[in-house]
Amino acid sequence: MSGEMDDLSISDLLPEAYGRSKDPDLAYLFDNELSAWANKNHGFPAADVRIDRSKWVRDWDKGVENVATKPASEVVMWTSVYRHPSTVGKRPGRSEREILRAAKLRAHRSHQVTMGLLKELYSLPQNKQCSFRDWFMLVSAEKRRETLDQGFENACWCTAFGQDSRAFCPEINSTALLKRRGIELFDFCDRYMENMSSYKEDDPTRRSMLHTDWWWSARRPEDSDCPRSQHENYRVLYQIYTYLRLEFLDQFVLYSQKAVLKACVDNMSQSDSFVPRLIWMAGPQGVQNLLAVRKEIRSRAGRRCENCERCPEDVGENVKFLICGGCKRQLNFEYHYCSKECQRSDWPRHKVHCGKEKVSKGRDEGRPEYTQSLGLLLQLEFQKHYDDADYFIFQVSAPKGYKVAFLHDEEKRAMFRDKRAMVAMDADRVGLDVLAKCLVDALPGDTTDSGITKDNVIQQLCEEYEVDVRSQLEALEADLAMQCNEDRYSGMVIIGHDKEEAKEEVELSEQADMTPESAIS
């Protein structure tokens, strides 16, 4: 590594992470051999970010959790031993004072630029159409994790100490920030913006989010195990590390938000799926509706009386289900009853497991949890607003989708809707093959010139239910052929749009082509 403290000299204030990651002269920023903490006896094991970024983030999460249990003064001293060994045992001279001034100037200027960039990021007009924050809450947990991991790496590339900067900021932990579908991340960034941008010319290092109780406790060498002869040197290093802490906090907030925005824009503009386009068309209110649908589905999925096994639809929407307090406190498990009478009746059976085991009639603990994909949420939202349709088939060129329905067979319509409801709530997707067969059988009689093909239907159902629909459909078709009953599920009709709907369709399609690929530089 080149010149120890010289790394703190003023250079590019906000270099792009990608360019720095390709610069061989900056590889030391992630070199575990040169790290003060990675794979050290006093530190923790850490993967190589270029081999496994996700594991690298998790390893550092665990590591900084352990660091936070130590006095912050130990972090200052151990870091200085590995990163500045030549300065630990001597009094700071003119060169060290100049480096401190340079670090302060760098931090102040970088902070001002970062706050300005964040304000620009939050005020982008694209956020009015589809907030990247809302998008982040809608996508899968895996996608959120992948996106935040990228933000961590980028932030480290753009700090003077690279990955070691994380040791100064143990409050930043990916697991904690991803809670509540990522709301914790945005809450943290909002608090940081509010706390750290409410100054003009004063020192940002005086702000409370920079000087947490943990970090502030290390400011006095007299309160540490540092030898008295090194107190003056300790004070200089503590100030430098405070500026490095500010730098990492700035870069993390900036690059985590940029990573989310970039992932959102890439998803909207480059995916060949119909789902991102529909989300873009939905706009802010539509996205909020999707979040509400997801919340409602999850609420309904778990509410079934453990005694009489009735759900809210059976007992009435206004009935408030009761929850067993013991199971909730001890197991964080909601055990529902529709009335006090049912709770009393079930007590002799339930008391054996109460607060000890997650035993439920309606929910097998070993059964996989069923989560709704974005595609399925969109489908359910459309079904909620258009009761005349039994299903919607979407095309990239037709954001509002095509209604499909049994218009003249009430018995088949009832059967289809029963299957539809079961598949939307059941992790085993029982009946999905029948849904696919009904939809595919509507294609030969299509008079709307929709252009929908069998492959389109299968791809959509695969995206909505995240299983291999083609194999299920082929198995059902083979069974029906053996029974000479291929027309058993026929009768659905694709319903075309009227003139007003068709006009609106074209306008929406043209709008969708304006997806903001240029939002990320």
Side-chain angles (χ1 to χ4, degrees):
M1 181 178 67
S2 61
E4 312 290 354
M5 284 191 174
D6 294 339
D7 296 330
L8 300 175
S9 62
I10 300 174
S11 55
D12 297 330
L13 293 178
L14 284 173
E16 285 298 320
Y18 179 79
R20 288 176 68 90
S21 69
K22 300 301 180 184
D23 187 344
D25 291 337
L26 298 177
Y28 69 87
L29 293 172
F30 283 88
D31 190 334
N32 285 348
E33 292 297 322
L34 299 175
S35 169
W37 298 94
N39 301 328
K40 300 298 186 295
N41 290 334
H42 66 277
F44 44 83
D48 188 324
V49 69
R50 301 194 187 201
I51 296 175
D52 190 337
R53 181 197 293 142
S54 181
K55 188 174 188 307
W56 170 78
V57 172
R58 293 195 303 271
D59 286 347
W60 272 88
D61 280 348
K62 295 176 183 176
V64 296
E65 281 182 7
N66 183 52
V67 165
T69 65
K70 307 175 185 291
S73 57
E74 286 192 21
V75 175
V76 173
M77 289 188 291
W78 275 114
T79 302
S80 64
V81 166
Y82 275 84
R83 301 302 295 260
H84 305 127
S86 61
T87 65
V88 170
K90 69 175 185 178
R91 293 171 61 86
R94 180 177 179 181
S95 62
E96 284 74 29
R97 300 292 181 186
E98 288 178 353
I99 290 172
L100 177 58
R101 284 193 294 271
K104 180 178 180 178
L105 182 60
R106 171 192 169 101
H108 280 231
R109 289 184 176 179
S110 176
H111 182 71
Q112 291 177 7
V113 172
T114 300
M115 292 296 105
L117 289 173
L118 283 168
K119 289 176 182 177
E120 290 179 12
L121 201 66
Y122 292 157
S123 62
L124 284 173
Q126 293 83 8
N127 281 322
K128 297 179 181 178
Q129 175 65 24
C130 179
S131 166
F132 64 88
R133 296 185 174 204
D134 290 338
W135 171 87
F136 194 70
M137 292 173 61
L138 280 169
V139 297
S140 66
E142 292 76 14
K143 184 63 176 178
R144 289 195 296 274
R145 164 65 69 180
E146 175 189 341
T147 302
L148 185 58
D149 288 352
Q150 181 69 67
F152 268 104
E153 181 184 352
N154 289 352
C156 290
W157 277 117
C158 294
T159 55
F161 261 28
Q163 61 181 347
D164 275 9
S165 300
R166 288 202 62 185
F168 302 139
C169 309
E171 69 269 37
I172 298 182
N173 181 291
S174 68
T175 302
L177 293 173
L178 289 172
K179 288 182 178 178
R180 297 193 297 148
R181 306 191 66 81
I183 293 178
E184 291 293 338
L185 169 64
F186 298 115
D187 284 352
F188 175 84
C189 292
D190 287 344
R191 291 195 305 273
Y192 189 77
M193 279 286 291
E194 181 180 0
N195 184 261
M196 299 297 290
S197 63
S198 59
Y199 79 99
K200 294 182 180 179
E201 300 298 332
D202 64 335
D203 188 346
T205 60
R206 299 175 184 175
R207 297 293 164 180
S208 59
M209 284 197 73
L210 182 68
H211 278 302
T212 59
D213 291 343
W214 177 79
W215 185 252
W216 186 248
S217 67
R219 72 191 185 282
R220 287 167 43 85
E222 294 83 2
D223 299 332
S224 71
D225 294 331
C226 179
R228 185 178 182 83
S229 60
Q230 298 178 17
H231 279 191
E232 188 175 356
N233 185 63
Y234 177 98
R235 291 188 183 93
V236 171
L237 288 171
Y238 174 77
Q239 292 180 64
I240 291 175
Y241 294 165
T242 298
Y243 293 126
L244 291 177
R245 175 173 154 79
L246 171 63
E247 180 185 48
F248 180 76
L249 289 169
D250 279 347
Q251 299 307 307
F252 173 76
V253 172
L254 175 62
Y255 278 101
S256 65
Q257 299 300 281
K258 288 185 72 171
V260 174
L261 178 57
K262 185 179 187 304
C264 175
V265 171
D266 287 348
N267 187 228
M268 295 293 178
S269 61
Q270 299 176 14
S271 175
D272 59 358
S273 167
F274 69 93
V275 175
R277 193 181 185 94
L278 286 175
I279 294 175
W280 178 257
M281 291 298 95
Q285 186 57 51
V287 170
Q288 291 303 315
N289 290 343
L290 291 178
L291 293 171
V293 168
R294 169 176 275 158
K295 184 176 181 180
E296 179 182 355
I297 290 171
R298 290 186 171 180
S299 176
R300 289 176 180 273
R303 283 187 294 164
R304 184 177 294 275
C305 181
E306 293 292 341
N307 185 56
C308 67
E309 299 189 37
R310 292 186 298 172
C311 60
E313 290 81 0
D314 300 325
V315 298
E317 293 293 332
N318 295 326
V319 174
K320 184 176 181 180
F321 273 56
L322 305 176
I323 296 175
C324 173
C327 289
K328 180 66 176 177
R329 285 191 302 273
Q330 301 297 325
L331 306 173
N332 194 26
F333 186 70
E334 295 186 355
Y335 202 85
H336 296 97
Y337 293 102
C338 67
S339 65
K340 290 184 179 180
E341 289 74 18
C342 276
Q343 188 173 17
R344 281 194 291 267
S345 297
D346 190 56
W347 177 243
R349 183 185 68 84
H350 177 57
K351 67 180 180 181
V352 179
H353 309 287
C354 184
K356 303 172 185 175
E357 298 178 88
K358 297 179 181 180
V359 177
S360 168
K361 291 180 183 178
R363 288 168 293 166
D364 182 356
E365 190 178 2
R367 192 176 191 178
E369 180 183 0
Y370 187 44
T371 57
Q372 285 73 31
S373 67
L374 281 179
L376 182 54
L377 288 176
L378 285 163
Q379 180 69 233
L380 295 173
E381 175 66 8
F382 271 74
Q383 291 173 15
K384 180 179 179 181
H385 290 287
Y386 298 95
D387 191 56
D388 59 324
D390 295 327
Y391 216 79
F392 281 83
I393 300 178
F394 301 106
Q395 293 278 70
V396 172
S397 59
K400 289 183 63 178
Y402 287 88
K403 298 176 182 177
V404 189
F406 282 103
L407 297 180
H408 309 295
D409 193 326
E410 289 301 323
E411 184 176 342
K412 283 188 177 179
R413 165 171 273 195
M415 175 275 300
F416 183 90
R417 293 195 170 199
D418 284 345
K419 299 284 187 185
R420 185 184 73 180
M422 183 181 299
V423 171
M425 303 295 291
D426 186 13
D428 293 331
R429 286 81 165 178
V430 176
L432 181 56
D433 54 349
V434 175
L435 292 190
K437 179 62 175 170
C438 291
L439 294 170
V440 167
D441 282 356
L443 301 181
D446 181 14
T447 60
T448 65
D449 296 324
S450 67
I452 299 170
T453 66
K454 181 176 182 179
D455 285 341
N456 293 149
V457 173
I458 292 173
Q459 179 186 354
Q460 176 176 321
L461 293 176
C462 286
E463 288 190 39
E464 289 175 343
Y465 299 100
E466 300 176 315
V467 295
D468 181 6
V469 177
R470 187 181 297 276
S471 297
Q472 293 188 27
L473 176 59
E474 290 175 351
L476 176 60
E477 289 177 332
D479 289 342
L480 293 174
M482 290 181 63
Q483 300 169 19
C484 298
N485 195 13
E486 291 93 335
D487 297 330
R488 178 177 177 181
Y489 297 110
S490 63
M492 290 197 97
V493 176
I494 299 176
I495 305 172
H497 303 300
D498 58 30
K499 292 183 179 180
E500 288 299 318
E501 287 179 317
K503 181 180 178 182
E504 185 180 354
E505 197 78 58
V506 172
E507 292 175 351
L508 289 172
S509 183
E510 290 174 349
Q511 270 188 349
D513 291 334
M514 299 170 64
T515 307
E517 292 185 61
S518 60
I520 302 295
S521 58

